[in-house]
Amino acid sequence: MIKNGKFFIPPPGDSSDLKTLFKRLVAAGAGRPVDKNGCPSGPWTPELLTQAISQMEANRADIELRTVQLWFQDNKRGVSPKNIRWLARIFGCDDPQATSDWQAELSAAQDRLRAKRQLQSAMKKHKEHPSPDLVSRDTSKPIPDQGVRYVDPDLNAPGSTLARISEGLLCPKSALSLPIVVFIGAVLLGLLSYTASIHDVVYQSEVAGAKQVGFLWAPNWTFNFLIAIPLYLVFLTELLAFWKKRGRAALLNEKTETVVAAGWSRKIDDASLVFGLVFMGCVPIIGGYQWVTTRLMPLINKDPRTLPIDWGRIAIVSPEIASVPETIVFTGLVWLYMGCCTYLYFMGLVVIYLITQDFFEISNSAKNRHIPEAGDRARKIGETVMFGVFRCAVVGLIMCIIMKLQSVYLVSDSENILRWFASDLSIVLGRGEPSSGGFDYSAPVLFTSFVATLVTVSISLNGYLKVRRGVAQLQSSGRAHLDTTGRPQRAASIQKSTWKLLLVVGLLTLSFLFIGLVPGFSVLLILSVSLAIYGLCDPSFGRRDTSTEKEQHVF
């Protein structure tokens, strides 16, 4: 290929490091003038390349021959960003677009070289000081190549930061490890409620009459901890595993695992402050402060104040059912457990934001613009990411709905939460009247659940928009497959999937807002939860893409 009378080679877009790529280009004579037959006038030498760079008008400072000679040698020296710009102009044949593409390619190749050198250095240190598991391993047998694998680029990093530890909790060998731990904790709390005799409690209220306030009758403590949070963590770990091990590498078109891992590790480290703030807000404030103000102080003062009576305050009015010391210990354990689970939930939302932001940044990188199949590849990866974000958002919104249901029930005059929900449903059928409630009670959980809903919807909506914009950026480059109308062939499917997912999230949000405010809210709640459950099983809502099924080997 000839550009501006010079021999042009397009960026390969492979996984070559800078040294390998540079040797290939100088041997082929990329950027050298061509003869009348269109052949380059020989390979580059250090002297010729030094002269070509020094003659550039924009280069006010001449480059030394010794510097260029180091590029030709097999050493650990790379190329400075300023000199990469001059090389990009040489190999891009002074064409602006080609120069931009080559600058991105050379920069990425230098990152791969740096990661390769770091890995070699780390491996050398490990050979000098081998760990017991490496010593006992039989190294006589070759390890089969299994494609792109995630390897931490900094093998010497202790991983002691909160961000690394938090992200590591979501990357166990089995995706069920953390959900099972959460499930077992919820089961233990249920067993302890029997010991404290607050698992099944009927409280005789002077205003509302008999009312079931037992721990096992509260869905925000049973369903959320036993089912919802473990399910949320399963979806989250699967999404993160896909992105780190397959999705990110495929979108980058990168087969060097250290390069793939390095970018994601930097994003986790950059978000260390966010992880710290989320931890402080969840464990000390939501878990500790709320326990002190809503459980400990009322129990010590034997005054529920304006808070409704439930299993955690039944010892104030009925000490024959549960003693105050037992209730203090049990509620302390429950709130500590809740604070940790709340951190896992919001930490998961941070990880979701980082994944979608990473997808958007990679999709907009100059490296991907010259890859013909980048648009279709991004569509497939984007759909998988969107489905994972949707599943996490749906489970999170259902948890918020259950929290509000329990809070509104406690200030109502119904006997138990099932009858309260059935009485609201009977309003639509014309067989009942709205139940009275309020009774001058306060419910702090209403505010907590509203904040959780707001954050969940915001993170999910941002994720959908980032993924759609990232896919559209690559498809609009003109290299995606076009249909007869000239539009990207897969753009409509991305938009249709996004619309359906947003509809379900919107219905769940409306259901949350209508609880306790609009009589008959249960009808909308049943409809939205039914659609959400179907979406959890099939996020595509029945749409099948045969091309995606046939080309799963891309990932």
Side-chain angles (χ1 to χ4, degrees), residues 8 10-11 88 92 95-107 366-370 479:
F8 175 73
D95 180 80
Q97 182 60 44
T99 299
S100 176
D101 292 342
W102 264 116
Q103 185 168 354
E105 182 71 18
L106 292 172
S107 299
K367 178 182 177 180
N368 277 322
R369 293 175 185 171
H370 64 272
R479 296 178 173 87

Side-chain angles (χ1 to χ4, degrees), residues 231-252:
L231 189 62
Y232 170 83
L233 293 174
V234 168
F235 291 144
L236 181 62
T237 52
E238 289 181 350
L239 173 62
L240 181 59
F242 165 78
W243 181 246
K244 290 175 60 176
K245 297 181 180 179
R246 292 182 293 166
R248 195 172 197 273
L251 193 63
L252 281 168

Side-chain angles (χ1 to χ4, degrees), residues 3 49 113 171 185 241 246 255 259 261 272 288 345 369 386 444 471 479 481 502 506:
K3 281 184 181 291
L49 189 56
L113 177 64
C171 300
R246 292 182 293 166
K255 295 183 179 179
V259 177
S272 297
Y345 177 74
R369 293 175 185 171
M386 281 202 305
V471 174
R479 296 178 173 87
H481 298 292
L502 289 179

